[in-house]
Amino acid sequence: MGDMTNSDFYTKNQRNDSNHEGGFGCSLMELRSLMELRGTEAVVKIQEDYGGTEGLCQRLKTSPTEGLAGLATDLDKRKEVFGRNLIPPKKPKTFLQLVWEALQDVTLIILEIAALISLGLSFYQPPGEGNTDACGDAKAGAEDEGESEAGWIEGAAILLSVVCVVLVTAFNDWSKEKQFRGLQSRIEQEQKFQVVRGGQVIQLPVADILVGDIAQIKYGDLLPADGVLIQGNDLKIDESSLTGESDHVRKAADKDPMLLSGTHVMEGSGRMVVTAVGVNSQSGIIFTLLGAGGEEEEKKEKKGQALEDGHPLPGKMQDGNMENNQTKVKKQDGAAAMEMQPLKSAEGGETEEKEKKKTSVSKKEKSVLQGKLTKLAVQIGKAGLVMSAITVIILVLYFAIDTFVRQKRPWLTECTPIYIQYFVKFFIIGVTVLVVAVPEGLPLAVTISLAYSVKKMMKDNNLVRHLDACETMGNATAICSDKTGTLTTNRMTAVQVYVADVHYKTIPEPTSLPSKTLDILVNAISLNSAYTTKILPADKEGGLPKQVGNKTECGLLGLVLDLKRDYQTIRNQIPEEKLYKVYTFNSVRKSMSTVIKLPDGSFRMYSKGASEIILKKCSRILSEVGEPRVFRPRDRDEMVKKVIEPMACDGLRTICVGYRDFPKDPEPNWEDENNILTDLTAICVVGIEDPVRPEVPDAIQKCQRAGITVRMVTGDNINTARAIAIKCGIIHPGEDFLCIDGKEFNRRIRNEKGEVEQERIDKVWPKLRVLARSSPTDKHTLVKGIIDSTLVDQRQVVAVTGDGTNDGPALKKADVGFAMGIAGTDVAKEASDIILTDDNFSSIVKAVMWGRNVYDSISKFLQFQLTVNVVAVIVAFTGACITQDSPLKAVQMLWVNLIMDTFASLALATEPPTESLLMRKPYGRNKPLISSTMTKNILGHGVYQLVIIFSLLFVGEQIFDIDSGRNAPLHSPPSEHYTIIFNTFVMMQLFNEINARKIHGERNVFDGIFRNPIFCSIVVGTFAIQIVIVQFGGKPFSCSPLDLEKWMWCVFLGMGELVWGQVISTIPNSKLRFLRGAGQLTQKDEMPEEEMNEDQEEIDHAERELRRGQILWFRGLNRIQTQIEVVNTFKSGTAFQGALRRQSSTTSQNQDSAKNPGLRVQPTK
């Protein structure tokens, strides 16, 4: 594929070169080769060949300030000449391929072979017709009314049912794939980019960006195409996805203007002219070489990977990167993980080995649930295999002993086919036992449930990027949420201001301020903010004005408008190109500064940022007459007490604005930031309000009820954070909790050498509720600390929300990362598992509900499936041993399998979630799949069904006064007796399906049944098909039609399930002690596998046991130490007070953790 597409390009390009590209001043190939240059040689080339960036823009017929005109003809021509900005996706698997994959199932293959043998033998007529009686009763009944002609029916029916199963599986896979693609395209449409067209800044979908577009790039963007920087402020790019170099690369129009697609803007802003899109961009070229179109989304996931394979990188770095991508891939749905494989080929030896190990893990979905289920399915399958083997052996032995030993018949050659037919029949019975025992429906149920949930979650504003995230969310025990935009509305408004020595609680009239101060203030705010930040008139009458760009800056610009001034006129006087130097905002500086050249040649720098940061750098402040006066540290402390803390306690964010003048010569060294950003003059402090979203307190209360701890991690100052946390209900006054800032957090968790220690984190996180002024690394440290903690017996499952570029590591580390759909940067979205399309915390609660619902749906299905499995296997097994024939025939078993597996998984997996899901604590990662209630239900219903079926099997003929169907010879017509057994069996399953809707021992199983139309239609549909099968199934289904009375009995026995269900739920679980173990049995050796799925670095099981031993040992030692100390203390008397004091401080940290050898003194003893 790669070569083809490449040659296509070349032929196209040749054609284009000849007429010089429909009138553009440079060809596709010229631009492609231009983009391969870097640094100074690129600057020189642009200068020489094109006459600088202006010349390049002219040749591409675009304007550096106005952008493309946006005429349809021009745009189409550009598409034709330079291509579109998309990489053609890989073709989806066709339905036939999926059918072929479904056929690979081992049990199905065994069945097919058995069916074929059975078919072949039924057509084989043995010679020597006369000698039939010599073969004993083996042959009897076979010739009845030409029934032997119907011998082929069973084989054919089995084949047909196999076809059914395969088609259903394939169809499910196909619809899943289709949904997945829908999801991908939805994610792609979400990604838009700011482009200037016709002088207007507009948001364009990435696919519509064309060569010649002027794109505005800012902090947090993922560049959608290759381009040349026209103008940039302090721009730094992370090119590791292309080059593998982790250092950020500084870009400037005069030093290194080349910007490449797929790289991340880590700080700064600027404008670029797009020079290559789609398959012609640097990453596109590499894709084409690899022939990996890949889906767009995967393409992004893989970009790093693909490129590394393209250029072999320096040793270590490459491994680091690989790790990174692997983890990404692991999260991707299976499909993507598979597509990763071809990319390995270009890799060298040593990494290849590592790779193999890793990919084997990445193929597995990381989902905990899927791990547990696969495990369970394997265990059940093994049991089934043993049962079916025993069945076959018993049948064969019984037949052989009966025929050859008891009746002492010789083995005659002409009888061989008949004997073989018997053996084949036994074999088929064995296989059917196996088929019923193996729950193929389990993985299917998970898939259906997840796919259904993902589809529905879209409506709840959750765009799920990785299927398993949805289910992990149900187990979440902690949520670390941002404040701005998630818990708050992200609509900043300036409400208080301290200016000219007065603290105004409302925005003052412009007349009350000194005019000098007012001018400086308005200039400082208008110029020292991103020019992309604007306040636009409201969309509809009476609405609020629309805030575009950085919301904090919008709040400040709003202040300018409130002071009856217009920021746009000031910006028009000094356009962005005239700004002399810009220090953009980043998480290290926590401030932004802009330098302008004044008319007299001197410089003025405006700064704004977090108040405590800027005030530390101020040595003067504007007085009430607008003149600078000295501002000493003690004035600053007073200001903090009198102005900043009161503002913060009202939940306001405080921003300080200042300025500094520089002489024109000697011109200051602008690179020496430390000396530039000092000695400022403060102008004012603004208090900006960001109101809490009205629905958040309720959502947080729901989380706390559901056993999920909500922690707020924010960059704001601690008082603001605490005020907002109280408003949200994250903390309640009077509770025992921690609110600390990043500095204090780091002081507590790091040892003398400055390394983070898990033990220290363990002392902090359980009580931590608010972490203020935190850096992105603090966030990552906290998340990692909580996840790795062994304080609690359940490993914590942490969800994190993030929107900034720097949140990437924390989002990746968390079990579930939520990115903000509106405010979030592309980098954050890339690293996340779920995108909140409305940026709202209450959508996270919906995600928890859906996640728990997935888990419950699976449990419901399991409860149903296992009951059927247990009963069917026991019936087939005992029936075969006692009557030499399974009461449930192969085809019937397959039909039962079909209802159980496919239809039931559809019906039970699509139950809509209810609020009651949020009333219980999370399950935790190592809770067994099968709770004691479920075990009780499975065993209870199993007993009922077995009693009914065996009664029917052994005394059914007397009850209904019909011929017995037991010990029927080969190929005999179907008996009513066995039909009743089959029918009753199916009826019991149908009514048990209704029982299975509740797994926590609820009484009302019909509760909300009509909210799930799929369930109702499936139950009714199954019933209808069952009627058809019994009345008209005839020979293939081994059914003979029943009259109404018998039908009523079957249905009545089935409905008994509902009554029995009530009886079972009356028995309290506590009476059934032995069930506790039953549920656990299947999950004894669960953990190691999950740990593998978790992170390859996790300790293995044995080590864990060891550790548990160590902890007990430590505890023992501690107790002894404590007792010794108590004795000593009593001896010395005086030290007792000290010990007590020490004890109270340690117990408050953690009662019984072995990691804290603190004193536990019980003075009462």
Side-chain angles (χ1 to χ4, degrees):
M1 167 188 164
D3 320 12
M4 232 189 70
T5 13
N6 266 353
S7 54
D8 280 1
F9 291 140
Y10 293 126
T11 48
K12 263 195 214 138
N13 303 335
Q14 252 73 58
R15 191 179 68 232
N16 294 341
D17 288 349
S18 54
N19 63 6
H20 226 268
E21 314 44 73
F24 293 110
C26 43
S27 72
L28 182 64
M29 292 323 284
E30 285 170 19
L31 287 174
R32 264 177 80 161
S33 55
L34 172 66
M35 289 319 290
E36 279 159 15
L37 303 174
R38 301 275 178 280
T40 38
E41 55 175 328
V43 182
V44 173
K45 172 101 169 152
I46 293 175
Q47 214 44 56
E48 286 175 358
D49 289 16
Y50 300 97
T53 41
E54 280 76 23
L56 181 63
C57 290
Q58 268 168 0
R59 289 209 187 178
L60 288 173
K61 298 190 178 169
T62 180
S63 137
T65 47
E66 302 286 306
L68 296 178
L71 303 170
T73 47
D74 176 45
L75 299 183
D76 290 340
K77 194 169 177 192
R78 283 176 195 274
K79 273 182 204 159
E80 195 187 326
V81 176
F82 296 115
R84 306 189 47 181
N85 195 20
L86 37 90
I87 290 177
K90 206 162 166 188
K91 287 202 170 46
K93 285 184 177 154
T94 58
F95 189 67
L96 286 174
Q97 281 169 306
L98 291 168
V99 168
W100 177 242
E101 277 175 19
L103 276 171
Q104 310 295 310
D105 187 43
V106 183
T107 41
L108 288 181
I109 293 176
I110 298 177
L111 261 184
E112 287 153 27
I113 294 171
L116 288 173
I117 296 176
S118 165
L119 266 179
L121 285 169
S122 65
F123 289 125
Y124 173 73
Q125 277 298 324
E129 280 297 307
N131 207 351
T132 41
D133 42 329
C135 304
D137 51 0
K139 194 74 171 123
E143 294 308 319
D144 290 1
E145 314 129 42
E147 276 290 354
S148 64
E149 278 70 81
W152 59 273
I153 293 182
E154 187 166 28
I158 293 178
L159 285 181
L160 196 69
S161 29
V162 167
V163 168
C164 268
V165 173
V166 165
L167 286 178
V168 171
T169 316
F171 178 73
N172 271 319
D173 284 348
W174 179 76
S175 57
K176 172 185 145 194
E177 178 123 338
K178 191 160 144 251
Q179 267 177 357
F180 194 65
R181 284 191 180 257
L183 183 66
Q184 299 296 17
S185 60
R186 171 82 192 265
I187 291 173
E188 277 145 44
Q189 286 154 14
E190 291 282 311
Q191 204 200 352
K192 291 198 162 52
F193 211 79
Q194 284 195 327
V195 174
V196 184
R197 281 203 182 162
Q200 292 294 316
V201 177
I202 54 168
Q203 293 271 348
L204 261 194
V206 168
D208 295 351
I209 292 177
L210 298 169
V211 170
D213 261 324
I214 303 295
Q216 293 202 333
I217 54 179
K218 59 182 189 310
Y219 154 87
D221 284 340
L222 176 81
L223 297 184
D226 291 356
V228 175
L229 188 65
I230 303 176
Q231 172 263 324
N233 304 322
D234 201 15
L235 193 62
K236 284 192 185 147
I237 306 274
D238 171 13
E239 292 192 345
S240 60
S241 60
L242 276 176
T243 59
E245 295 300 325
S246 56
D247 297 343
H248 299 170
V249 185
R250 284 197 95 105
K251 297 283 180 182
D254 49 357
K255 293 196 185 69
D256 180 3
M258 297 319 222
L259 300 171
L260 306 171
S261 59
T263 57
H264 293 138
V265 182
M266 295 319 273
E267 50 183 275
S269 60
R271 291 208 314 274
M272 72 170 187
V273 55
V274 176
T275 54
V277 292
V279 276
N280 301 310
S281 64
Q282 287 302 301
S283 46
I285 292 171
I286 291 173
F287 267 109
T288 329
L289 292 179
L290 283 164
E295 283 154 74
E296 284 285 303
E297 179 50 31
E298 276 148 31
K299 175 187 92 201
K300 287 187 226 131
E301 295 278 67
K302 288 195 297 202
K303 207 164 262 172
Q305 180 90 32
L307 297 163
E308 288 163 26
D309 293 345
H311 319 291
L313 313 167
K316 187 63 208 101
M317 188 52 225
Q318 178 177 3
D319 280 356
N321 256 29
M322 294 304 272
E323 298 276 340
N324 210 349
N325 285 310
Q326 275 316 115
T327 42
K328 268 196 206 163
V329 179
K330 227 181 349 187
K331 285 196 171 161
Q332 246 316 350
D333 185 63
M338 298 307 295
E339 265 144 45
M340 292 301 302
Q341 306 323 321
L343 303 183
K344 294 297 166 318
S345 51
E347 214 50 72
E350 181 218 21
T351 41
E352 185 86 69
E353 280 314 295
K354 269 197 175 163
E355 233 20 77
K356 272 194 196 129
K357 271 198 213 121
K358 249 180 258 147
T359 43
S360 65
V361 180
S362 73
K363 262 189 233 173
K364 253 195 260 163
E365 261 92 313
K366 199 172 113 281
S367 148
V368 180
L369 186 57
Q370 230 133 2
K372 284 185 180 181
L373 282 178
T374 323
K375 193 115 187 110
L376 190 70
V378 167
Q379 285 168 332
I380 297 176
K382 281 182 189 158
L385 197 62
V386 173
M387 289 291 271
S388 61
I390 297 177
T391 313
V392 175
I393 292 169
I394 290 183
L395 283 172
V396 171
L397 281 178
Y398 190 100
F399 174 77
I401 292 173
D402 190 52
T403 310
F404 301 122
V405 181
R406 278 186 36 222
Q407 303 178 18
K408 300 196 173 48
R409 293 180 184 277
W411 178 298
L412 300 170
T413 34
E414 56 267 35
C415 297
T416 311
I418 297 167
Y419 294 149
I420 289 180
Q421 247 174 331
Y422 259 110
F423 290 143
V424 169
K425 178 181 156 189
F426 298 152
F427 182 60
I428 287 179
I429 291 173
V431 173
T432 347
V433 173
L434 181 63
V435 171
V436 178
V438 174
E440 309 87 281
L442 281 185
L444 188 71
V446 184
T447 314
I448 292 177
S449 185
L450 285 176
Y452 171 78
S453 304
V454 167
K455 203 165 159 190
K456 291 285 190 201
M457 280 167 84
M458 291 255 194
K459 293 197 178 77
D460 286 339
N461 303 312
N462 281 303
L463 182 65
V464 182
R465 290 181 67 233
H466 303 130
L467 274 184
D468 52 353
C470 152
E471 163 250 316
T472 315
M473 219 26 231
N475 284 331
T477 54
I479 297 175
C480 296
S481 171
D482 274 357
K483 174 178 80 73
T484 314
T486 315
L487 299 172
T488 58
T489 52
N490 204 8
R491 234 204 111 73
M492 306 277 188
T493 33
V495 286
Q496 298 186 15
V497 59
Y498 176 90
V499 60
D501 285 347
V502 189
H503 182 176
Y504 295 95
K505 296 284 188 183
T506 54
I507 301 300
E509 285 299 308
T511 45
S512 60
L513 303 180
S515 58
K516 264 188 189 166
T517 309
L518 188 60
D519 283 345
I520 290 188
L521 172 60
V522 171
N523 272 323
I525 292 177
S526 308
L527 298 175
N528 183 28
S529 57
Y531 277 33
T532 48
T533 303
K534 301 187 185 66
I535 294 185
L536 304 176
D539 289 341
K540 41 182 183 290
E541 282 295 303
L544 292 166
K546 212 161 91 186
Q547 299 187 337
V548 180
N550 181 311
K551 298 297 194 251
T552 312
E553 288 180 353
C554 287
L556 291 170
L557 292 176
L559 174 66
V560 171
L561 297 177
D562 290 342
L563 293 171
K564 317 277 187 292
R565 289 301 199 67
D566 181 19
Y567 62 88
Q568 200 53 53
T569 45
I570 300 174
R571 283 181 174 182
N572 294 345
Q573 288 161 11
I574 305 187
E576 203 167 0
E577 299 78 66
K578 297 253 181 72
L579 298 177
Y580 197 78
K581 169 91 180 135
V582 179
Y583 299 96
T584 51
F585 182 90
N586 64 27
S587 56
V588 182
R589 280 192 199 121
K590 286 213 194 288
S591 67
M592 170 177 178
S593 312
T594 303
V595 182
I596 55 168
K597 203 166 186 171
L598 298 173
D600 63 359
S602 64
F603 301 97
R604 173 170 283 175
M605 176 180 76
Y606 295 115
S607 278
K608 68 166 193 292
S611 51
E612 53 256 57
I613 297 203
I614 296 286
L615 284 177
K616 277 203 186 87
K617 297 177 176 164
C618 289
S619 54
R620 289 182 210 75
I621 186 166
L622 293 183
S623 65
E624 67 260 33
V625 290
E627 292 302 325
R629 63 177 167 83
V630 176
F631 184 65
R632 289 180 300 272
R634 69 157 185 270
D635 301 334
R636 183 171 71 225
D637 296 341
E638 189 180 2
M639 175 111 150
V640 167
K641 267 203 202 65
K642 295 258 173 68
V643 179
I644 291 172
E645 284 187 357
M647 279 188 186
C649 291
D650 293 342
L652 304 184
R653 183 174 226 186
T654 52
I655 302 287
C656 178
V657 184
Y659 76 100
R660 177 180 176 185
D661 288 325
F662 295 98
K664 67 173 170 191
D665 46 61
E667 185 176 328
N669 169 16
W670 300 112
E671 294 307 311
D672 179 13
E673 254 181 71
N674 293 343
N675 288 330
I676 300 273
L677 291 178
T678 52
D679 202 22
L680 304 176
T681 307
I683 306 170
C684 69
V685 174
V686 187
I688 296 184
E689 179 181 48
D690 183 9
V692 171
R693 286 174 181 263
E695 62 279 14
V696 161
D698 187 38
I700 286 183
Q701 199 186 347
K702 278 184 190 159
C703 281
Q704 288 162 343
R705 258 210 317 264
I708 300 169
T709 315
V710 182
R711 294 183 172 82
M712 179 158 102
V713 182
T714 173
D716 253 338
N717 96 30
I718 185 139
N719 297 323
T720 311
R722 189 184 288 121
I724 299 272
I726 290 174
K727 279 186 194 165
C728 293
I730 291 179
I731 52 183
H732 305 289
E735 279 181 1
D736 180 20
F737 52 75
L738 276 178
C739 289
I740 52 178
D741 58 5
K743 249 202 201 110
E744 170 68 7
F745 176 67
N746 278 310
R747 195 183 61 70
R748 290 192 183 197
I749 62 168
R750 292 177 190 276
N751 59 15
E752 296 68 52
K753 295 188 198 132
E755 297 156 347
V756 178
E757 282 188 358
Q758 185 64 43
E759 275 115 80
R760 289 169 184 252
I761 297 184
D762 283 345
K763 288 178 189 162
V764 177
W765 74 257
K767 286 193 179 159
L768 182 69
R769 289 294 175 274
V770 176
L771 181 57
R773 279 275 175 258
S774 68
S775 68
T777 37
D778 294 342
K779 194 172 187 173
H780 181 250
T781 311
L782 176 67
V783 172
K784 186 172 183 317
I786 297 180
I787 289 181
D788 294 346
S789 173
T790 47
L791 267 190
V792 268
D793 43 356
Q794 295 287 5
R795 146 153 154 33
Q796 294 274 311
V797 177
V798 184
V800 169
T801 67
D803 51 6
T805 308
N806 40 25
D807 290 332
L811 287 171
K812 272 221 189 73
K813 177 69 196 167
D815 295 285
V816 182
F818 286 91
M820 300 295 137
I822 304 166
T825 56
D826 299 339
V827 183
K829 288 180 188 170
E830 267 306 81
S832 70
D833 301 298
I834 297 180
I835 296 175
L836 293 177
T837 49
D838 63 345
D839 284 17
N840 191 336
F841 185 84
S842 59
S843 304
I844 298 180
V845 183
K846 297 252 175 61
V848 172
M849 233 160 79
W850 277 107
R852 292 188 170 188
N853 190 49
V854 168
Y855 209 95
D856 278 10
S857 301
I858 304 301
S859 300
K860 290 170 189 173
F861 174 66
L862 256 179
Q863 177 174 310
F864 174 66
Q865 164 103 46
L866 290 178
T867 313
V868 185
N869 276 10
V870 169
V871 175
V873 169
I874 294 181
V875 167
F877 176 68
T878 43
C881 296
I882 300 171
T883 65
Q884 280 82 75
D885 187 7
S886 165
L888 298 171
K889 300 290 183 288
V891 181
Q892 296 174 350
M893 291 269 214
L894 283 170
W895 161 240
V896 169
N897 212 23
L898 200 70
I899 25 173
M900 297 186 332
D901 280 6
T902 320
F903 295 147
S905 59
L906 255 177
L908 292 168
T910 51
E911 289 273 307
T914 55
E915 286 282 330
S916 60
L917 288 168
L918 292 175
M919 299 308 237
R920 60 173 175 74
K921 298 275 177 278
Y923 280 149
R925 299 179 77 91
N926 31 15
K927 173 187 176 293
L929 268 178
I930 305 167
S931 65
S932 46
T933 316
M934 285 167 61
T935 318
K936 181 178 77 177
N937 289 344
I938 292 170
L939 295 179
H941 289 295
V943 167
Y944 173 81
Q945 296 185 8
L946 285 173
V947 167
I948 299 282
I949 285 184
F950 282 135
S951 317
L952 286 176
L953 180 57
F954 295 114
V955 291
E957 66 269 34
Q958 289 125 21
I959 303 173
F960 290 108
D961 188 28
I962 46 176
D963 298 336
S964 164
R966 292 197 300 279
N967 298 328
L970 202 58
H971 299 319
S972 53
S975 65
E976 272 190 78
H977 183 188
Y978 274 19
T979 308
I980 290 176
I981 294 179
F982 167 57
N983 201 11
T984 311
F985 182 67
V986 173
M987 288 302 126
M988 290 195 292
Q989 299 326 323
L990 267 183
F991 286 102
N992 196 27
E993 198 166 333
I994 298 174
N995 274 333
R997 290 183 67 246
K998 300 288 177 224
I999 48 172
H1000 296 302
E1002 295 92 332
R1003 285 289 176 168
N1004 181 5
V1005 287
F1006 291 102
D1007 179 32
I1009 193 166
F1010 294 114
R1011 279 214 311 275
N1012 186 358
I1014 303 183
F1015 185 86
C1016 302
S1017 48
I1018 281 181
V1019 171
V1020 173
T1022 315
F1023 192 77
I1025 301 177
Q1026 178 65 15
I1027 295 179
V1028 174
I1029 287 180
V1030 171
Q1031 297 307 93
F1032 311 105
K1035 184 76 187 171
F1037 279 98
S1038 323
C1039 287
S1040 87
L1042 300 175
D1043 54 29
L1044 191 61
E1045 186 196 357
K1046 296 197 182 81
W1047 260 104
M1048 290 327 259
W1049 273 108
C1050 293
V1051 175
F1052 171 72
L1053 288 172
M1055 289 179 84
E1057 271 289 2
L1058 294 174
V1059 183
W1060 184 246
Q1062 295 302 317
V1063 175
I1064 293 179
S1065 55
T1066 320
I1067 308 170
N1069 285 8
S1070 51
K1071 289 276 187 306
L1072 304 167
R1073 267 282 125 73
F1074 68 95
L1075 290 187
R1076 288 285 151 73
Q1080 250 85 23
L1081 269 180
T1082 46
Q1083 273 77 20
K1084 253 314 179 249
D1085 39 19
E1086 193 64 64
M1087 284 313 283
E1089 180 159 351
E1090 268 154 51
E1091 300 294 358
M1092 284 237 331
N1093 291 351
E1094 249 348 284
D1095 246 333
Q1096 274 69 56
E1097 303 92 54
E1098 291 283 1
I1099 41 175
D1100 74 337
H1101 204 43
E1103 245 177 272
R1104 226 128 137 256
E1105 286 300 324
L1106 259 175
R1107 208 169 268 196
R1108 199 168 293 143
Q1110 281 172 342
I1111 291 176
L1112 289 173
W1113 171 241
F1114 280 138
R1115 277 188 196 164
L1117 272 182
N1118 270 356
R1119 296 259 155 85
I1120 296 169
Q1121 280 171 350
T1122 312
Q1123 280 153 1
I1124 293 172
E1125 282 189 37
V1126 173
V1127 175
N1128 294 345
T1129 319
F1130 273 117
K1131 279 183 195 159
S1132 61
T1134 50
F1136 182 52
Q1137 256 46 49
L1140 265 187
R1141 224 168 285 134
R1142 227 171 0 185
Q1143 182 234 347
S1144 58
S1145 72
T1146 47
T1147 33
S1148 66
Q1149 278 165 353
N1150 196 314
Q1151 281 291 307
D1152 200 26
S1153 161
K1155 308 212 171 65
N1156 167 16
L1159 297 173
R1160 282 185 209 92
V1161 185
Q1162 278 87 18
T1164 47
K1165 281 186 188 167

